[in-house]
Amino acid sequence: MIRYSVKVKGIVQGVGFRPFVFRLAKSLSLCGFVRNTSEGVYIEIEGGNDDCEAFITKLKTNPPPLAHLEMVNLTKIPLAGEHDFLILSSDAGIRNTLISPDIGICDDCAADIAMKGNRRYRYAFTNCTNCGPRFTILKDIPYDRQNTTMADFPLCTDCREEYENPYDRRFHAQPNACHVCGPQLSFYQDGEIDSQDPYELFDRSIGLGQIVALKGIGGFHLACDAKNEEAVNRLRNKKLRYDKPFAVMMRDVETVQKYCELDDIEKEALSSSEKPIVLLKKKKDCLIAQSTTLSNTRLGVMLPYTPLHCLLMQEHEAIIMTSGNLSDCPMIFNDEEAFSKLFHVADAILAHNRQIFRRMDDSVCIIINEKTHMIRRARGYVPQPLYLCENNGVILAMGAQQKNTFCLAKGENAFLSGHIGDLDNEDTSKCLESEIESFIRIFDAEPEAIACDMHPDYVSTRYASRYRGKLPIFEIQHHHAHFASVLAEHQLREENAIGLIFDGTGYGTDGCIWGGESLFGNIKESTRTGHLLYFPLFSSEAAIREPWRIAIAVTDMAVGRETALSLFPDYINEAKILLQAGEKELNSPLTSSMGRLFDAVAALIGVRMHTTYEGQAAIELQQIMDESAKGSYHFQLTRENNSIIFDWRPLIREIISDLKSGIHKGTISLRFHRAVLELITSVAVSVQSKTTCGIVALSGGVFQNDFLLKNVVPKLEEKGFVVYLNERIPTNDGGISFGQAAAASYRMR
Ligand code: ZN
Ligand code: ZN
Ligand code: FE
């Protein structure tokens, strides 16, 4: 006989861990107890040596699907001689535990709702300890029903029995519910409840080509038939979303395979319990309405992830599921707002009476070279912590202005928030504040230091400044934050690396707008070793939505005024004024942005003059690429004050000459992309020659470009470099807050 105490840390609460321990102990005839503690779960087991060993092995190798074990600590203790194994109630005031993200419906629950005779047949809010809502219904900790929005629904006798039975899959499943006691659906049309079967009403609406606003886990979606061109177009017009692709929910993997190319890794990501949107390549004869993605060759696809989705998708193969909002506003998640705003867009609303406590957008990822890259990390992932090695304080990192997320790092756990959005929008910045307050409370993490961007006008920077004089504030340069996000994600602690950080916009230390940068350094700090040759951003912000302005600027610099004006006859008068303003340095800040250079090329060859969403010109430039073409353009590397200048003028001259000789746009696009690949390797080689460093870290929104992503790694590896990219953390500005937290953490040490 032997007795052990076992301490387990990680995501072990609210995921069916104690009943799992209970059943395991019982099956091995062990005595003892299990209890939630402020740090995780505490277990004592007593029994035969072999049985105890078996217990530990199974605990480590076969925990419940949603558990995430970070540490299992084992100590031999004196025998106590009890006769049973018990689940003890948790200590009150537990504040140091990890909370599970919202998890897609499990196979068992999917079977329950599909089986006639089951008491949860067709029940849209079915869940168990292995699946269901978690973080979006959580108001406070500890994670108990009364602290969630399920507090309004007292358990019925049957549900209570399940809840109290350690052998049941729903033991202590806080959102447990059924037809009798749980939330109910309501279908609204013309502002009134329609009491007929909501599933049938939904089917009828979709069949008629209507738009239905659908309340989900983290907010409202707008849904319509993805195969009905007219319906999709109508949604575009009503939502004022003219070009940006819509995501589609498909019934099952087999359906996805009908419309999209799907390899094993994509299939795995799509079916994972996180259920993200995966950007898949459309098949040539894909029958999804063309206006879903317009010119885009990829389609964002997700599988049903709630019981409601599963039930609704029974009658439909593919439904558009785009976030329920008006143009640039955040996704709507409360009923009141939905009813006041979404009826302008939707013909009907399918809602329910379970409150969503916090908004959580769908996560988005892309798989390139067999690796998953998160583009938006939200539902299914948040608030699972990211590892921030050896951090020992509490840091609140405020993130960037666009695609804002914040990051609350408490010790080695970095809690990256869900997608907050663009803080130019007032609603979004309010949401940032309330989410920060909520995170601080839930993770019991009062900030000891603040990290923010250097940009004085960012909403997030202004928020940080309220702590001035009270807490240390670390201003982290935007591109260093991108760089640090890759290094910290891959735990390159104090190691030096060469960073190539390409994005749209970031505040530089010289007052210019950076975005095509080469850095050298580590998580803590870096120096700028090179950058794209500066060019003026005519009428600053407006240039971002009007790529032709950038094309004029770079052509003017590369070949002169006459050609610049001759290439854009439609804009000649405005162009003249811009060029004159530029000479006087009026409203024409200088930029080294790689994103803007992509825009310039897109406009130069006539692919896109005006944009309606971020990255549009670059995306469309890539879409038209002819990968079978030959040749490449060239950047010229020159030196200026110890800095490498990536001179793009030769490249612009080559493009103009190709344009004149009638070379196909697809070829020009390919040659440009190849030039960028070549630039990356030649800058890396150049920095290596001075530093002997063989590690390259790539980050910034430009690396969402799947052609670059696919080709850059083998190209650098060919030259002997070890290459790191963002994977779990977005390479776009959604990853900035994690990088800020990492950099600040090292500066504090
Ligand atoms: Zn389940
Ligand atoms: Zn019930
Ligand atoms: Fe950026």
Side-chain angles (χ1 to χ4, degrees):
M1 293 287 279
I2 199 162
R3 188 176 184 91
Y4 284 110
S5 82
V6 189
K7 284 182 192 160
V8 187
K9 281 193 191 178
I11 298 185
V12 287
Q13 294 185 12
V15 293
F17 197 75
R18 286 178 309 155
F20 153 75
V21 168
F22 172 88
R23 290 191 294 266
L24 183 58
K26 284 284 198 183
S27 72
L28 294 162
S29 308
L30 300 176
C31 298
F33 63 87
V34 56
R35 185 177 72 205
N36 283 341
T37 69
S38 62
E39 303 218 287
V41 163
Y42 180 78
I43 309 164
E44 290 192 11
I45 44 166
E46 183 169 325
N49 202 1
D50 290 352
D51 293 330
C52 285
E53 291 292 332
F55 176 91
I56 301 301
T57 313
K58 285 212 170 125
L59 182 87
K60 287 181 180 168
T61 55
N62 203 16
L66 302 189
H68 183 83
L69 273 54
E70 284 182 354
M71 197 197 78
V72 180
N73 204 330
L74 204 64
T75 324
K76 221 173 179 176
I77 52 171
L79 299 179
E82 71 260 80
H83 299 286
D84 203 358
F85 193 92
L86 299 173
I87 297 178
L88 303 182
S89 61
S90 13
D91 310 345
I94 290 175
R95 296 215 153 244
N96 217 0
T97 53
L98 301 181
I99 293 145
S100 163
D102 305 274
I103 293 298
I105 183 170
C106 73
D107 293 345
D108 293 331
C109 287
D112 284 348
I113 60 170
M115 197 203 296
K116 270 198 183 129
N118 187 297
R119 71 185 196 91
R120 289 194 175 79
Y121 176 59
R122 300 225 305 166
Y123 182 56
F125 304 91
T126 302
N127 64 82
C128 72
T129 43
N130 300 327
C131 75
R134 295 285 186 279
F135 196 45
T136 51
I137 58 167
L138 183 76
K139 293 178 170 176
D140 204 352
I141 49 165
Y143 174 64
D144 281 331
R145 192 172 178 103
Q146 71 267 21
N147 282 331
T148 71
T149 61
M150 285 300 290
D152 307 340
F153 303 95
L155 290 162
C156 69
T157 323
D158 289 340
C159 285
R160 174 153 300 280
E161 249 175 56
E162 293 165 344
Y163 184 87
E164 286 172 353
N165 177 4
Y167 290 98
D168 195 283
R169 200 171 92 240
R170 298 193 167 94
F171 176 76
H172 281 207
Q174 304 302 344
N176 189 24
C178 73
H179 285 291
V180 176
C181 65
Q184 303 294 337
L185 294 170
S186 315
F187 195 92
Y188 297 82
Q189 230 160 355
D190 307 319
E192 276 174 42
I193 288 198
D194 191 326
S195 56
Q196 296 174 68
D197 181 73
Y199 303 112
E200 277 171 28
L201 289 168
F202 178 84
D203 293 343
R204 196 182 306 160
S205 283
I206 295 295
L208 289 170
Q210 294 183 336
I211 299 161
V212 182
L214 186 66
K215 186 174 176 183
I217 285 265
F220 281 80
H221 281 118
L222 289 166
C224 74
D225 184 355
K227 290 195 278 185
N228 182 337
E229 199 72 56
E230 215 182 298
V232 180
N233 257 318
R234 192 162 158 261
L235 177 58
R236 281 212 177 277
N237 292 327
K238 289 215 151 199
K239 210 187 163 195
L240 308 177
R241 175 154 152 162
Y242 301 113
D243 305 304
K244 201 175 177 183
F246 287 136
V248 173
M249 181 174 279
M250 292 194 187
R251 187 192 290 149
D252 48 28
V253 169
E254 291 67 41
T255 310
V256 178
Q257 278 163 331
K258 245 170 89 175
Y259 298 105
C260 299
E261 312 282 346
L262 188 68
D263 67 24
D264 287 348
I265 295 167
E266 288 167 331
K267 188 169 148 187
E268 202 178 297
L270 204 59
S271 322
S272 68
S273 61
E274 290 88 354
K275 296 280 191 298
I277 294 171
V278 185
L279 302 181
L280 300 173
K281 282 206 175 110
K282 279 192 290 186
K283 281 195 169 161
K284 283 236 157 56
D285 50 358
C286 179
L287 289 176
I288 297 298
Q290 192 266 341
S291 41
T292 306
T293 57
L294 298 168
S295 62
N296 214 302
T297 53
R298 283 192 188 253
L299 175 65
V301 179
M302 61 183 149
L303 293 177
Y305 57 83
T306 67
L308 176 59
H309 294 149
C310 293
L311 293 164
L312 294 176
M313 294 304 290
Q314 281 176 357
E315 297 297 319
H316 308 275
E317 277 198 326
I319 299 257
I320 301 274
M321 284 281 186
T322 185
S323 42
N325 58 356
L326 305 177
S327 49
D328 287 331
C329 298
M331 176 169 63
I332 292 168
F333 70 102
N334 76 59
D335 292 5
E336 219 173 283
E337 207 184 345
F339 285 101
S340 72
K341 293 185 177 162
L342 287 181
F343 266 124
H344 300 298
V345 185
D347 304 293
I349 295 185
L350 178 48
H352 56 72
N353 55 347
R354 183 177 70 200
Q355 189 204 339
I356 298 172
F357 185 73
R358 77 185 71 236
R359 183 174 64 225
M360 193 59 70
D361 292 80
D362 292 318
S363 296
V364 183
C365 67
I366 188 169
I367 288 130
I368 303 282
N369 295 339
E370 308 195 335
K371 287 208 168 118
T372 304
H373 300 271
M374 295 308 302
I375 290 174
R376 187 163 69 204
R377 183 184 184 272
R379 179 184 50 75
Y381 302 88
V382 175
Q384 187 159 330
L386 296 156
Y387 185 60
L388 186 50
C389 184
E390 287 167 26
N391 178 51
N392 47 32
V394 179
I395 303 165
L396 172 63
M398 299 300 307
Q401 180 80 354
Q402 310 297 319
K403 294 191 167 59
N404 177 274
T405 62
F406 66 88
C407 181
L408 185 63
K410 180 185 184 184
E412 291 187 324
N413 286 328
F415 300 99
L416 184 57
S417 77
H419 172 76
I420 306 283
D422 294 352
L423 298 181
D424 302 324
N425 181 296
E426 208 177 305
D427 289 349
T428 313
S429 42
K430 271 190 209 138
C431 161
L432 171 70
E433 288 198 22
S434 66
E435 270 301 273
I436 288 177
E437 281 160 24
S438 175
F439 267 57
I440 290 175
R441 195 175 64 247
I442 283 174
F443 300 108
D444 192 24
E446 204 47 59
E448 295 158 4
I450 306 292
C452 66
D453 200 89
M454 285 182 160
H455 200 304
D457 297 328
Y458 273 12
V459 170
S460 51
T461 311
R462 286 206 299 274
Y463 182 97
S465 64
R466 6 176 132 165
Y467 289 97
R468 206 166 289 285
K470 295 179 203 133
L471 293 180
I473 297 178
F474 297 91
E475 288 186 348
I476 312 292
Q477 199 278 325
H478 185 94
H479 301 93
H480 179 73
H482 274 303
F483 182 51
S485 80
V486 191
L487 300 181
E489 176 176 357
H490 295 283
Q491 293 169 45
L492 291 169
R493 309 185 189 195
E494 267 133 59
E495 230 161 318
N496 280 329
I498 299 165
L500 283 145
I501 315 299
F502 293 171
D503 69 354
T505 300
Y507 190 81
T509 52
D510 59 357
C512 295
I513 300 167
W514 293 8
E517 312 302 310
S518 97
L519 306 177
F520 180 72
N522 50 35
I523 299 177
K524 187 177 175 187
E525 53 206 350
S526 62
T527 50
R528 190 191 198 198
T529 51
H531 61 88
L532 213 61
L533 175 67
Y534 282 132
F535 52 91
L537 207 51
F538 290 150
S539 21
S540 30
E541 288 294 298
I544 295 170
R545 288 180 301 274
E546 297 186 22
W548 67 268
R549 292 171 190 263
I550 305 159
I552 296 264
V554 298
T555 317
D556 181 50
M557 280 175 70
V559 289
R561 192 136 309 182
E562 219 169 297
T563 315
L565 291 172
S566 74
L567 283 173
F568 295 92
D570 293 352
Y571 300 97
I572 195 152
N573 293 328
E574 237 177 311
K576 277 182 186 160
I577 299 168
L578 291 178
L579 288 163
Q580 279 163 11
E583 268 169 12
K584 294 180 193 138
E585 292 173 25
L586 289 172
N587 198 15
S588 306
L590 292 178
T591 184
S592 54
S593 164
M594 182 60 87
R596 297 292 90 82
L597 188 67
F598 273 75
D599 290 353
V601 174
L604 202 53
I605 65 174
V607 167
R608 178 57 55 187
M609 299 295 178
H610 296 259
T611 63
T612 62
Y613 68 91
E614 201 204 349
Q616 183 180 4
I619 290 167
E620 291 179 3
L621 179 64
Q622 191 208 337
Q623 300 295 333
I624 60 149
M625 179 193 297
D626 174 7
E627 278 197 54
S628 64
K630 294 206 163 45
S632 171
Y633 302 131
H634 305 278
F635 286 86
Q636 195 181 347
L637 297 190
T638 58
R639 287 212 162 260
E640 194 182 285
N641 313 325
N642 237 344
S643 213
I644 313 165
I645 304 296
F646 323 156
D647 189 342
W648 39 263
R649 286 173 302 184
L651 170 152
I652 295 294
R653 286 193 281 268
E654 288 171 302
I655 292 178
I656 290 171
S657 128
D658 271 1
L659 268 177
K660 283 187 178 149
S661 12
I663 301 287
H664 189 259
K665 285 175 189 178
T667 306
I668 298 182
S669 167
L670 178 76
R671 290 177 179 172
F672 171 67
H673 279 83
R674 286 210 180 119
V676 176
L677 287 174
E678 206 185 272
L679 172 72
I680 292 168
T681 38
S682 44
V683 172
V685 167
S686 172
V687 178
Q688 185 184 40
S689 69
K690 295 217 157 175
T691 60
T692 70
C693 178
I695 300 173
V696 175
L698 305 169
S699 188
V702 170
F703 291 100
Q704 291 173 120
N705 179 310
D706 57 359
F707 177 84
L708 289 186
L709 213 49
K710 188 174 71 193
N711 291 292
V712 73
V713 178
K715 235 176 137 40
L716 283 165
E717 283 174 350
E718 233 170 69
K719 302 267 179 197
F721 289 105
V722 181
V723 189
Y724 294 97
L725 289 159
N726 289 113
E727 291 172 33
R728 283 170 303 149
I729 294 155
T731 198
N732 57 49
D733 284 4
I736 285 286
S737 60
F738 178 74
Q740 289 172 341
S745 164
Y746 278 83
R747 288 181 197 183
M748 278 165 77
R749 291 174 199 184

